[in-house]
Amino acid sequence: MPTLAADYAGGGGPLTAPRLLRPGTPDRAGLDTDEMTRLVREVRALTRGERPWCAGAVVLAGRGPVIAVEEAAGYAVRYSAYDPVADAGVELPPEQRVPARTDTPFDLASLTKLFTTVAAMQQLERGTLGIDALVSAYLPEFTAAAEHRISVRQLLTHTSGLRPELPLYACPDDRARLDALRSEAPSAEPGTHVYSDLNMLLLQHVLERITRRPLDVLVREGITRPLGMAATGFGPRPDAAATEDQRTPWAKADRGMLRGDVHDENAWALGGVAGHAGLFSTVRDLAVFCRALLCGGSYGTARILGPDFVELMLAAPGLGFGLDQEWFMGSLAGRGAAGHTGFTGTSLVMDPATDTFLILLANTVHPRRRSADSGPRARAATRLARAAR
């Protein structure tokens, strides 16, 4: 992975551990100050008006070990409910609203997939998992995966052919949910790209089978604890930004206004820990995650993955990570940028070519989900791309 030598502490001697992140300025990070100022102004504007893009947002951008921008805007909690008649949120009195802060945790939604991916890469590095092994080698009772010869690589590249989701939340109990996963056949020919939460759910079962440990333990012991990401973990998180007034018919379950409980209905039905959703985190913790991967799998003295396996994960077409996706990466796309988005309004982008990273956490589903609009994510990434020239 390309990494600037200046990012390492050498003291005049051989390069040693990657330097830890530190607050700074755009200028100190080697980023254009005007572009970073525009980035912050545009993120703040996303939280304003009667129908804002999101109730609250926190943005962090950096280069190398320097955090150039870290700003919060709007509200972590703005509404008490959604009014379907008025098609608008019921606003809390000003004194009851909770402002977004730079340390506010957000429901990461599908950014959780990145942590499941890294947990899988760790098993690849240890030799307990084969990238081209069949899922049936680890989970022979998953009969549909066995019949269609679905591989680990297909799970990581979303080419298993499995449909985007399965209504596990509608199953009466855990046994029925497990049976549904075991018997779910691909809806498209394996090898066809179909983005699917089911890929990461199957991968979760593979990881838990070969390690004999639950996913939350794998993430905590293998990723967040070594990296010092104390604010990252599966819920509940009562201090998190609120998400949706989750009721039918616009949602898939009747749960009311959510704050600190996972938004994704399937992850909720599975107890809050799932391969595709369930993690909560802050921008600063996610910056550490980005920094570690940009430094080949190490941060300070901690090592979560070897450089060769980071390179394998982020090489085209990408394992778990999306690569060069202009719809949310803007002008960062086209040169090996990697990242992901989450349904709740989250996104993360890393650009190895310029050693830059951008995290945008927002609660766009507060007070109710809407059709996805990734324009603001792409524009924020474009600001960073322009700043890094």
Side-chain angles (χ1 to χ4, degrees):
M1 298 294 298
T3 310
L4 301 178
D7 292 352
Y8 289 82
L15 298 183
T16 56
R19 287 181 180 169
L20 303 183
L21 287 167
R22 61 183 186 272
T25 62
D27 184 64
R28 185 164 182 80
L31 295 171
D32 183 82
T33 299
D34 290 341
E35 290 292 346
M36 290 291 94
T37 299
R38 294 185 186 102
L39 168 65
V40 171
R41 184 168 61 240
E42 289 170 359
V43 168
R44 286 174 177 163
L46 297 174
T47 68
R48 295 171 181 157
E50 292 184 5
R51 294 181 182 272
W53 184 73
C54 60
V58 185
V59 63
L60 185 150
R63 189 175 200 175
V66 181
I67 296 172
V69 162
E70 186 177 13
E71 295 283 342
Y75 295 97
V77 184
R78 177 173 173 174
Y79 306 100
S80 63
Y82 168 72
D83 181 349
V85 175
D87 187 26
V90 179
E91 296 209 67
L92 289 163
E95 67 275 10
Q96 293 182 25
R97 299 175 195 171
V98 180
R101 298 161 34 116
T102 55
D103 61 354
T104 296
F106 282 76
D107 182 334
L108 296 186
S110 284
L111 292 191
T112 302
K113 294 180 172 76
L114 303 183
F115 290 80
T116 305
T117 296
V118 171
M121 299 304 296
Q122 290 174 334
Q123 296 307 313
L124 285 174
E125 185 175 27
R126 291 166 189 162
T128 58
L129 181 67
I131 185 66
D132 290 311
L134 298 180
V135 171
S136 58
Y138 310 102
L139 304 171
E141 71 277 20
F142 278 60
T143 53
E147 179 182 352
H148 294 274
R149 300 182 61 79
I150 293 173
S151 71
V152 171
R153 185 186 296 274
Q154 288 173 335
L155 298 182
L156 285 164
T157 55
H158 293 282
T159 55
S160 67
L162 291 167
R163 58 174 158 159
E165 63 176 353
L166 184 65
L168 300 175
Y169 53 86
C171 295
D173 53 39
D174 288 343
R175 179 176 290 277
R177 283 185 274 274
L178 184 56
D179 288 344
L181 271 177
R182 287 172 171 171
S183 61
E184 178 67 16
S187 62
E189 185 70 22
T192 304
H193 186 272
V194 180
Y195 178 80
S196 173
D197 290 346
L198 304 186
N199 290 314
M200 291 298 164
L201 285 174
L202 263 65
L203 187 59
Q204 174 186 358
H205 281 279
V206 169
L207 293 174
E208 292 181 342
R209 178 66 57 84
I210 63 180
T211 64
R212 300 183 180 180
R213 294 193 293 172
L215 181 64
D216 57 334
V217 173
L218 293 176
V219 170
R220 182 175 65 250
E221 298 299 325
I223 304 172
T224 61
R225 181 176 290 174
L227 294 180
M229 297 171 62
T232 303
F234 290 93
R237 287 294 301 269
D239 58 336
T243 54
E244 185 176 28
D245 181 7
Q246 202 168 88
R247 289 181 279 156
T248 55
W250 58 84
K252 303 164 191 172
D254 289 301
R255 301 168 62 201
M257 182 61 74
L258 301 177
R259 185 186 184 194
D261 289 318
V262 62
H263 175 268
D264 182 271
E265 291 93 343
N266 276 345
W268 164 68
L270 293 167
V273 178
H276 70 290
L279 279 175
F280 291 78
S281 189
T282 63
V283 291
R284 186 64 71 94
D285 265 21
L286 291 176
V288 171
F289 182 70
C290 290
R291 177 74 175 143
L293 295 181
L294 287 169
C295 289
S298 295
Y299 182 72
T301 58
R303 177 190 181 279
I304 61 167
L305 203 59
D308 290 346
F309 288 87
V310 174
E311 185 175 359
L312 173 65
M313 183 173 63
L314 301 184
L319 299 176
F321 285 72
L323 299 185
D324 292 326
Q325 298 185 10
E326 189 175 355
W327 64 274
F328 78 91
M329 295 180 180
S331 296
L332 284 179
R335 52 194 186 189
H340 215 286
T341 65
F343 185 80
T344 50
T346 59
S347 61
L348 175 158
V349 185
M350 305 177 296
D351 180 22
T354 56
D355 201 21
T356 56
F357 50 92
L358 172 73
I359 299 114
L360 178 60
L361 301 183
N363 51 354
T364 59
V365 296
H366 184 53
R368 97 159 253 195
R369 66 188 71 188
R370 301 283 184 182
S371 297
D373 173 15
S374 280
R377 291 162 165 155
R379 287 191 290 274
T382 294
R383 288 293 179 202
L384 180 59
R386 292 172 178 171
R389 288 177 181 171

